[in-house]
Amino acid sequence: MVLPSGIWRLGVLFTENKRGGAIEDWAMNGYIVFLTLFSEVLAFTAVGLVARWGEVVPRWVPWLRGRRIPTAAVVVPATIGATILTLVFTVIAMVTTVTQSKTNGDPLPADFPSKAGGWETVWFYAAYVPLVLWGPMLGILTYAYWRRRGSVTTGPLRTVETLTPNGSPGPVPREGPSIIGVTGGAGGKWPGVSLLSAAPKGVQGDRPRARRS
């Protein structure tokens, strides 16, 4: 969504008389490159909402490697970003395009790309129209991330069936990760066998596995 507008923006580097000469070319070129790179990096962070490194710090990060990222540390800034992007590129951009005016109410200049006509206008809209979906799509990904992380840490109370040493089943209610162990004694059916269940919901079946002690 962001790449087409970045490519269009970099094309401005090769035009003359940028901003009507109000800003020096070197300053305008630096601003364009910075804005393009910043937009691409900002957009790439959204990949963390669907990738593993958005939940656990990658191993190549010193001191924090392997640590679980708090859900709020991702959801809060992503929600703020989605709100701002929706306001700027979805609401304001559409209003200014329809009214052909700036945010302060002044009409767009005659040399604005949307008024150039021909292929220049077509290329401009093709590059910037995808940005209308940037904010809403980020909001959808953020909500899905929040639901996914919440379903891992919390969940309904469920029952696992354990087997006692004499072979009779015994229902044990639990919520989340736990350890259930039963060791047979000398007169038990399985001497020296422990039944363990330590996996969270969705990782291991409901019936505990037997492990030889």
Side-chain angles (χ1 to χ4, degrees), residues 85-99 101 103 125 128 131-132:
L85 292 173
T86 301
L87 180 63
V88 173
F89 291 113
T90 305
V91 178
I92 296 179
M94 291 183 65
V95 171
T96 55
T97 301
V98 172
T99 61
S101 62
T103 54
Y125 281 117
Y128 275 89
L131 292 181
V132 174

Side-chain angles (χ1 to χ4, degrees), residues 9 11 28 31 36 69-70 72 82 97 122 130 155 159 171 179 181 183 208 211-212:
R9 199 180 299 114
M28 191 63 185
Y31 168 76
T36 301
I69 301 174
T97 301
V122 173
T159 302
I179 299 178
T183 304
R211 190 181 69 180
R212 182 71 61 180

Side-chain angles (χ1 to χ4, degrees), residues 152-207:
V152 172
T153 56
T154 61
L157 187 68
R158 64 193 186 95
T159 302
V160 295
E161 183 180 356
T162 60
L163 298 179
T164 58
N166 59 9
S168 60
V172 179
R174 71 184 181 93
E175 180 176 4
S178 62
I179 299 178
I180 304 173
V182 179
T183 304
K189 187 174 181 179
W190 304 308
V193 175
S194 297
L195 298 179
L196 300 178
S197 178
K201 178 180 178 182
V203 176
Q204 181 177 316
D206 287 343
R207 183 178 295 276

Side-chain angles (χ1 to χ4, degrees), residues 73-154:
V74 177
V75 172
V76 172
T79 302
I80 295 175
T83 303
I84 295 175
L85 292 173
T86 301
L87 180 63
V88 173
F89 291 113
T90 305
V91 178
I92 296 179
M94 291 183 65
V95 171
T96 55
T97 301
V98 172
T99 61
Q100 289 293 296
S101 62
K102 300 179 181 178
T103 54
N104 59 2
D106 294 340
L108 294 175
D111 59 348
F112 196 75
S114 63
K115 291 187 174 184
W119 285 106
E120 184 176 350
T121 299
V122 173
W123 170 228
F124 171 77
Y125 281 117
Y128 275 89
V129 164
L131 292 181
V132 174
L133 301 176
W134 189 7
M137 291 299 295
L138 180 59
I140 293 174
L141 290 177
T142 303
Y143 177 73
Y145 176 90
W146 174 74
R147 288 291 303 272
R148 185 176 71 254
R149 291 294 300 274
S151 64
V152 172
T153 56
T154 61

